[in-house]
mmCIF file of all heavy atoms in Angstrom:
data_model
loop_
_atom_site.group_PDB
_atom_site.id
_atom_site.type_symbol
_atom_site.label_atom_id
_atom_site.label_comp_id
_atom_site.label_asym_id
_atom_site.label_seq_id
_atom_site.Cartn_x
_atom_site.Cartn_y
_atom_site.Cartn_z
ATOM 1 N N PHE A 89 -20.324 -21.969 29.102
ATOM 2 C CA PHE A 89 -19.084 -22.682 28.748
ATOM 3 C C PHE A 89 -19.242 -23.381 27.394
ATOM 4 O O PHE A 89 -18.320 -23.431 26.583
ATOM 5 C CB PHE A 89 -18.721 -23.712 29.821
ATOM 6 C CG PHE A 89 -18.036 -23.125 31.032
ATOM 7 C CD1 PHE A 89 -18.580 -23.251 32.308
ATOM 8 C CD2 PHE A 89 -16.824 -22.443 30.908
ATOM 9 C CE1 PHE A 89 -17.949 -22.716 33.431
ATOM 10 C CE2 PHE A 89 -16.178 -21.905 32.026
ATOM 11 C CZ PHE A 89 -16.750 -22.041 33.290
ATOM 12 N N LYS A 90 -20.433 -23.931 27.182
ATOM 13 C CA LYS A 90 -20.699 -24.621 25.903
ATOM 14 C C LYS A 90 -20.594 -23.625 24.744
ATOM 15 O O LYS A 90 -20.004 -23.924 23.697
ATOM 16 C CB LYS A 90 -22.112 -25.218 25.995
ATOM 17 C CG LYS A 90 -22.559 -26.021 24.821
ATOM 18 C CD LYS A 90 -22.351 -27.511 25.043
ATOM 19 C CE LYS A 90 -22.668 -28.304 23.798
ATOM 20 N NZ LYS A 90 -24.111 -28.545 23.646
ATOM 21 N N LEU A 91 -21.159 -22.436 24.947
ATOM 22 C CA LEU A 91 -21.071 -21.403 23.909
ATOM 23 C C LEU A 91 -19.601 -21.053 23.630
ATOM 24 O O LEU A 91 -19.180 -20.924 22.476
ATOM 25 C CB LEU A 91 -21.864 -20.154 24.333
ATOM 26 C CG LEU A 91 -21.788 -18.944 23.406
ATOM 27 C CD1 LEU A 91 -22.269 -19.275 21.994
ATOM 28 C CD2 LEU A 91 -22.618 -17.774 23.963
ATOM 29 N N ALA A 92 -18.810 -20.926 24.711
ATOM 30 C CA ALA A 92 -17.382 -20.605 24.534
ATOM 31 C C ALA A 92 -16.688 -21.709 23.743
ATOM 32 O O ALA A 92 -15.866 -21.438 22.856
ATOM 33 C CB ALA A 92 -16.719 -20.419 25.897
ATOM 34 N N ASP A 93 -17.030 -22.975 24.030
ATOM 35 C CA ASP A 93 -16.419 -24.099 23.294
ATOM 36 C C ASP A 93 -16.796 -24.025 21.811
ATOM 37 O O ASP A 93 -15.959 -24.259 20.934
ATOM 38 C CB ASP A 93 -16.871 -25.442 23.874
ATOM 39 C CG ASP A 93 -16.307 -25.673 25.271
ATOM 40 O OD1 ASP A 93 -15.363 -24.952 25.658
ATOM 41 O OD2 ASP A 93 -16.821 -26.552 25.987
ATOM 42 N N LEU A 94 -18.063 -23.703 21.546
ATOM 43 C CA LEU A 94 -18.504 -23.600 20.144
ATOM 44 C C LEU A 94 -17.788 -22.451 19.436
ATOM 45 O O LEU A 94 -17.460 -22.534 18.247
ATOM 46 C CB LEU A 94 -20.018 -23.392 20.077
ATOM 47 C CG LEU A 94 -20.860 -24.627 20.397
ATOM 48 C CD1 LEU A 94 -22.329 -24.254 20.529
ATOM 49 C CD2 LEU A 94 -20.686 -25.670 19.296
ATOM 50 N N MET A 95 -17.558 -21.369 20.169
ATOM 51 C CA MET A 95 -16.803 -20.261 19.568
ATOM 52 C C MET A 95 -15.406 -20.739 19.194
ATOM 53 O O MET A 95 -14.922 -20.482 18.086
ATOM 54 C CB MET A 95 -16.746 -19.066 20.536
ATOM 55 C CG MET A 95 -18.077 -18.331 20.624
ATOM 56 S SD MET A 95 -18.113 -17.082 21.927
ATOM 57 C CE MET A 95 -16.971 -15.856 21.294
ATOM 58 N N ASP A 96 -14.759 -21.448 20.118
ATOM 59 C CA ASP A 96 -13.407 -21.958 19.823
ATOM 60 C C ASP A 96 -13.417 -22.865 18.591
ATOM 61 O O ASP A 96 -12.512 -22.809 17.758
ATOM 62 C CB ASP A 96 -12.861 -22.737 21.020
ATOM 63 C CG ASP A 96 -12.208 -21.820 22.040
ATOM 64 O OD1 ASP A 96 -11.868 -20.674 21.679
ATOM 65 O OD2 ASP A 96 -12.061 -22.241 23.204
ATOM 66 N N GLN A 97 -14.455 -23.710 18.495
ATOM 67 C CA GLN A 97 -14.514 -24.642 17.353
ATOM 68 C C GLN A 97 -14.698 -23.900 16.021
ATOM 69 O O GLN A 97 -14.402 -24.438 14.965
ATOM 70 C CB GLN A 97 -15.669 -25.629 17.539
ATOM 71 C CG GLN A 97 -15.373 -26.686 18.600
ATOM 72 C CD GLN A 97 -16.647 -27.346 19.108
ATOM 73 O OE1 GLN A 97 -17.636 -27.446 18.390
ATOM 74 N NE2 GLN A 97 -16.624 -27.767 20.362
ATOM 75 N N ASN A 98 -15.222 -22.682 16.084
ATOM 76 C CA ASN A 98 -15.493 -21.926 14.848
ATOM 77 C C ASN A 98 -14.614 -20.687 14.739
ATOM 78 O O ASN A 98 -14.968 -19.721 14.062
ATOM 79 C CB ASN A 98 -16.970 -21.526 14.811
ATOM 80 C CG ASN A 98 -17.865 -22.743 14.651
ATOM 81 O OD1 ASN A 98 -18.044 -23.235 13.547
ATOM 82 N ND2 ASN A 98 -18.380 -23.259 15.753
ATOM 83 N N VAL A 99 -13.457 -20.745 15.409
ATOM 84 C CA VAL A 99 -12.614 -19.552 15.510
ATOM 85 C C VAL A 99 -12.230 -18.981 14.139
ATOM 86 O O VAL A 99 -12.252 -17.759 13.939
ATOM 87 C CB VAL A 99 -11.368 -19.815 16.398
ATOM 88 C CG1 VAL A 99 -10.574 -20.994 15.910
ATOM 89 C CG2 VAL A 99 -10.483 -18.584 16.484
ATOM 90 N N GLU A 100 -11.919 -19.864 13.184
ATOM 91 C CA GLU A 100 -11.442 -19.354 11.886
ATOM 92 C C GLU A 100 -12.531 -18.535 11.196
ATOM 93 O O GLU A 100 -12.287 -17.447 10.679
ATOM 94 C CB GLU A 100 -11.024 -20.515 10.964
ATOM 95 C CG GLU A 100 -9.839 -21.323 11.469
ATOM 96 C CD GLU A 100 -8.574 -20.501 11.628
ATOM 97 O OE1 GLU A 100 -8.403 -19.511 10.887
ATOM 98 O OE2 GLU A 100 -7.751 -20.834 12.517
ATOM 99 N N GLU A 101 -13.736 -19.099 11.196
ATOM 100 C CA GLU A 101 -14.844 -18.434 10.507
ATOM 101 C C GLU A 101 -15.208 -17.110 11.207
ATOM 102 O O GLU A 101 -15.373 -16.072 10.562
ATOM 103 C CB GLU A 101 -16.046 -19.382 10.507
ATOM 104 C CG GLU A 101 -17.102 -19.001 9.514
ATOM 105 C CD GLU A 101 -18.184 -20.077 9.414
ATOM 106 O OE1 GLU A 101 -18.024 -21.173 10.006
ATOM 107 O OE2 GLU A 101 -19.196 -19.807 8.747
ATOM 108 N N ILE A 102 -15.302 -17.166 12.518
ATOM 109 C CA ILE A 102 -15.696 -15.974 13.274
ATOM 110 C C ILE A 102 -14.683 -14.854 13.088
ATOM 111 O O ILE A 102 -15.038 -13.703 12.817
ATOM 112 C CB ILE A 102 -15.829 -16.311 14.776
ATOM 113 C CG1 ILE A 102 -17.019 -17.248 15.000
ATOM 114 C CG2 ILE A 102 -15.956 -15.056 15.623
ATOM 115 C CD1 ILE A 102 -17.092 -17.823 16.407
ATOM 116 N N THR A 103 -13.403 -15.201 13.238
ATOM 117 C CA THR A 103 -12.398 -14.140 13.185
ATOM 118 C C THR A 103 -12.276 -13.571 11.773
ATOM 119 O O THR A 103 -12.033 -12.377 11.601
ATOM 120 C CB THR A 103 -11.024 -14.619 13.699
ATOM 121 O OG1 THR A 103 -10.672 -15.821 13.009
ATOM 122 C CG2 THR A 103 -11.055 -14.890 15.192
ATOM 123 N N SER A 104 -12.491 -14.415 10.757
ATOM 124 C CA SER A 104 -12.402 -13.823 9.409
ATOM 125 C C SER A 104 -13.620 -12.947 9.124
ATOM 126 O O SER A 104 -13.518 -11.980 8.370
ATOM 127 C CB SER A 104 -12.125 -14.858 8.328
ATOM 128 O OG SER A 104 -12.970 -15.932 8.446
ATOM 129 N N LEU A 105 -14.760 -13.232 9.748
ATOM 130 C CA LEU A 105 -15.913 -12.329 9.576
ATOM 131 C C LEU A 105 -15.610 -10.949 10.170
ATOM 132 O O LEU A 105 -15.888 -9.916 9.557
ATOM 133 C CB LEU A 105 -17.160 -12.912 10.260
ATOM 134 C CG LEU A 105 -17.843 -14.086 9.555
ATOM 135 C CD1 LEU A 105 -18.948 -14.666 10.427
ATOM 136 C CD2 LEU A 105 -18.415 -13.673 8.201
ATOM 137 N N ASP A 106 -15.030 -10.936 11.374
ATOM 138 C CA ASP A 106 -14.709 -9.634 11.990
ATOM 139 C C ASP A 106 -13.603 -8.915 11.214
ATOM 140 O O ASP A 106 -13.635 -7.695 11.056
ATOM 141 C CB ASP A 106 -14.279 -9.810 13.452
ATOM 142 C CG ASP A 106 -15.449 -9.661 14.430
ATOM 143 O OD1 ASP A 106 -16.537 -9.219 14.007
ATOM 144 O OD2 ASP A 106 -15.262 -9.990 15.620
ATOM 145 N N ALA A 107 -12.606 -9.687 10.759
ATOM 146 C CA ALA A 107 -11.506 -9.062 9.995
ATOM 147 C C ALA A 107 -12.063 -8.397 8.747
ATOM 148 O O ALA A 107 -11.699 -7.268 8.400
ATOM 149 C CB ALA A 107 -10.454 -10.107 9.638
ATOM 150 N N LEU A 108 -12.970 -9.084 8.078
ATOM 151 C CA LEU A 108 -13.548 -8.574 6.828
ATOM 152 C C LEU A 108 -14.459 -7.374 7.084
ATOM 153 O O LEU A 108 -14.370 -6.338 6.425
ATOM 154 C CB LEU A 108 -14.364 -9.702 6.176
ATOM 155 C CG LEU A 108 -15.177 -9.337 4.942
ATOM 156 C CD1 LEU A 108 -14.253 -8.955 3.792
ATOM 157 C CD2 LEU A 108 -16.064 -10.507 4.516
ATOM 158 N N ASN A 109 -15.316 -7.523 8.093
ATOM 159 C CA ASN A 109 -16.345 -6.505 8.319
ATOM 160 C C ASN A 109 -15.764 -5.232 8.950
ATOM 161 O O ASN A 109 -16.212 -4.122 8.668
ATOM 162 C CB ASN A 109 -17.415 -7.095 9.251
ATOM 163 C CG ASN A 109 -18.817 -6.606 8.981
ATOM 164 O OD1 ASN A 109 -19.738 -6.955 9.687
ATOM 165 N ND2 ASN A 109 -19.015 -5.789 7.971
#
Side-chain angles (χ1 to χ4, degrees):
F89 280 121
K90 183 97 186 278
L91 176 58
D93 292 345
L94 286 171
M95 286 171 69
D96 275 341
Q97 286 161 29
N98 292 279
V99 55
E100 296 299 331
E101 196 172 352
I102 292 170
T103 52
S104 49
L105 285 173
D106 267 349
L108 173 66
N109 214 183

